[in-house]
Amino acid sequence: MKIIDAKVIVTCPGRNFVTLKITTEEGIHGIGDATLNGRELAVVSYLEDHLVPCLIGRDARQIEDIWQFFYRGAYWRKGPVGMAAIAAIDTALWDIKAKAANMPLYDLLGGKSREGVMVYGHANGEDIEETCDEVARYLELGYKAIRAQCGVPGMPSTYGVAQDKMFYEPADADLPSENIWSTAKYLNHIPKLFARLRDQFGFDVHLLHDVHHRLTPIEAGRLGKDLEPYRLFWLEDAVTAELQEGFRLVRQHTTTPLALGEIFTTIYDCHQLLSEQLIDYIRTTVVHAGGITHLKRIASLAELYHIKTGCHGATDLSPVCLGAALHFDSWVPNFGIQEYMRHTEATDEVFPHAYTFADGNLYPGDTPGHGVDINEELASKYPYQRAYLPVNRLEDGTMFNW
Ligand code: CS2
Ligand code: MG
């Protein structure tokens, strides 16, 4: 099953996506997501200039050997650019293998462990009132789990609050826009949001919140403790995680479940977090953590330590990543939840897919492969448009985490 072609397709149906399409001599093709928000063209070059020349002529069946070749063979290992490129190759090869076997990818992985994949949606508002209205809307849409993000009095903007209430795209400018942040104002306000949400909606709906890397460990311990009465499903990215042992301090102060890992690119970024049970959900994804092959390894290590999966699923991860993730989610024994930020209609038209939403779940469908394709002709109508994620500064101008 020789690889005879591998091409990188860049398209921008409202936001940039990078897709790798691999074709074998039998005419079977598979696709993988290679999108890295704000640094897309770096992955395009890594694939086109460095990996694709080594891919042509290889046997598409040798998924593991190809993964090891590109991981060990680079000499320079890990990191978001290289691992997204390897992920795209890996995902496309799993897609091909499942198509060649004429089975949905979840069957190739070991079969379904569940029918539906529980997802969470994103409710957000400028203030508590508007956020409550949005949570009510997501409940009406059938979601069982809802992330709530809210504007903070005294801050002009904050992460996760957007004008468009259904489609949230943070890469919003041709050069990085600058946000302002106040930890004190944030910590004073968020417990009020969840007190009100539980008061209005009770405890049956799963509520989640994303801190987005903005606290120190002791601040995260304080917020986690303040939120304990409101029984969050998880508190996400409470602290940046270069210092994995920093989460020991958070754990000492709160039982609020912790989620981490959407920016991790290998198992080495989370090995200590998992083996010391410092978190409850691992957020690594198909596109940013080396593809299906590596994500399976991370999930298996997490399973040893009672930790569940909670794959990242923002709009800047393409429908190709979401489709592959749903097959992984359908199989993985220690499944937790799947993030589901809806893509725009234009994006869904470029990426026809088999997955469907109903009753708070996504269903992957049963077409052979991961169930997502790319309409190349339509994709060509949306040329690349440079867009950066914002940066964040404290009120005194100090550079901070976005
Ligand atoms: C966020 C993302 O969905 C999430 O949990 O952290 O929206 C993140 O900000 C973007 O994926 C960055 O491109
Ligand atoms: Mg997040």
Side-chain angles (χ1 to χ4, degrees):
M1 187 172 268
K2 190 184 291 184
I3 294 170
I4 56 170
D5 186 52
K7 66 175 156 182
V8 181
I9 302 161
V10 182
T11 185
C12 187
R15 64 140 294 107
N16 295 307
F17 292 110
V18 179
T19 306
L20 175 70
K21 180 173 184 177
I22 296 177
T23 306
T24 69
E25 61 190 342
E26 295 82 1
I28 300 174
H29 76 268
I31 63 174
D33 185 12
T35 307
L36 184 64
N37 201 0
R39 297 295 185 272
E40 291 87 356
L41 297 188
V43 185
V44 172
S45 170
Y46 197 97
L47 279 166
E48 283 182 341
D49 300 326
H50 301 294
L51 300 198
V52 166
C54 308
L55 194 56
I56 304 301
R58 287 187 183 276
D59 184 339
R61 293 172 297 182
Q62 295 181 282
I63 297 177
E64 187 67 52
D65 184 65
I66 289 171
W67 196 98
Q68 298 293 337
F69 178 88
F70 285 126
Y71 180 76
R72 297 171 185 277
Y75 189 73
W76 318 103
R77 298 180 182 190
K78 305 194 291 184
V81 174
M83 294 312 294
I86 291 173
I89 293 170
D90 187 77
T91 306
L93 293 179
W94 277 104
D95 192 21
I96 288 168
K97 192 180 275 285
K99 285 176 177 175
N102 194 30
M103 61 174 72
L105 178 53
Y106 52 68
D107 277 341
L108 200 58
L109 296 174
K112 281 184 178 179
S113 303
R114 57 198 59 78
E115 268 313 308
V117 170
M118 183 170 77
V119 295
Y120 71 89
H122 284 210
N124 69 84
E126 293 296 336
D127 56 30
I128 290 177
E129 280 310 310
E130 187 180 48
T131 308
C132 286
D133 292 346
E134 283 299 296
V135 168
R137 191 163 71 87
Y138 272 83
L139 284 169
E140 282 164 23
L141 289 170
Y143 285 82
K144 303 188 185 80
I146 301 167
R147 188 186 85 169
Q149 304 293 134
C150 178
V152 175
M155 284 206 303
S157 67
T158 188
Y159 164 72
V161 179
Q163 291 307 317
D164 186 320
K165 293 308 170 196
M166 186 51 89
F167 306 108
Y168 174 61
E169 176 46 64
D172 58 1
D174 182 52
L175 287 172
S177 51
E178 300 218 346
N179 295 173
I180 302 296
W181 175 256
S182 159
T183 297
K185 290 171 180 155
Y186 169 81
L187 288 176
N188 288 337
H189 189 66
I190 293 305
K192 295 172 192 166
L193 168 66
F194 286 95
R196 171 66 196 283
L197 287 170
R198 284 305 187 200
D199 184 50
Q200 182 166 342
F201 299 105
F203 285 78
D204 288 342
V205 57
H206 295 304
L207 293 177
L208 303 84
H209 182 66
D210 191 348
V211 183
H212 221 259
H213 322 280
R214 302 199 179 174
L215 302 178
T216 63
I218 201 64
E219 290 166 345
R222 174 185 149 193
L223 178 62
K225 191 182 290 185
D226 287 350
L227 293 174
E228 281 176 12
Y230 314 119
R231 301 279 187 278
L232 264 62
F233 183 90
W234 80 31
L235 189 64
E236 175 188 346
D237 278 340
V239 186
T240 54
E242 289 91 334
L243 182 71
Q244 294 186 48
E245 64 261 32
F247 275 77
R248 290 175 188 155
L249 201 52
V250 187
R251 268 315 204 209
Q252 285 164 17
H253 291 277
T254 183
T255 57
T256 293
L258 302 173
L260 208 59
E262 69 181 50
I263 63 171
F264 294 170
T265 65
T266 70
I267 200 166
Y268 306 104
D269 296 331
C270 52
H271 177 247
Q272 189 174 8
L273 288 162
L274 299 176
S275 60
E276 292 189 24
Q277 301 180 57
L278 300 179
I279 59 174
D280 304 277
Y281 296 92
I282 182 67
R283 297 261 293 140
T284 38
T285 67
V286 171
V287 60
H288 296 132
I292 297 281
T293 298
H294 200 57
L295 196 61
K296 286 174 79 225
R297 290 203 160 89
I298 293 171
S300 297
L301 178 62
E303 187 186 7
L304 294 182
Y305 298 101
H306 308 292
I307 295 162
K308 296 180 181 174
T309 64
C311 289
H312 183 208
T315 43
D316 49 283
L317 284 63
S318 89
V320 181
C321 177
L322 181 56
L326 291 173
H327 284 260
F328 169 83
D329 293 337
S330 296
W331 156 75
V332 71
N334 50 322
F335 171 73
I337 198 167
Q338 169 68 46
E339 179 176 3
Y340 178 39
M341 261 196 201
R342 292 178 187 234
H343 293 102
T344 62
E345 198 174 322
T347 296
D348 284 343
E349 284 169 1
V350 171
F351 295 99
H353 52 266
Y355 57 80
T356 54
F357 174 83
D359 306 326
N361 294 330
L362 276 172
Y363 297 86
D366 57 7
T367 52
H370 56 45
V372 188
D373 210 339
I374 184 166
N375 179 328
E376 292 187 56
E377 187 188 343
L378 204 48
S380 66
K381 294 186 180 349
Y382 300 105
Y384 169 79
Q385 286 183 315
R386 190 176 75 184
Y388 284 86
L389 285 169
V391 298
N392 215 2
R393 292 184 183 275
L394 299 179
E395 289 169 306
D396 69 359
T398 305
M399 195 64 202
F400 196 57
N401 312 316
W402 177 75

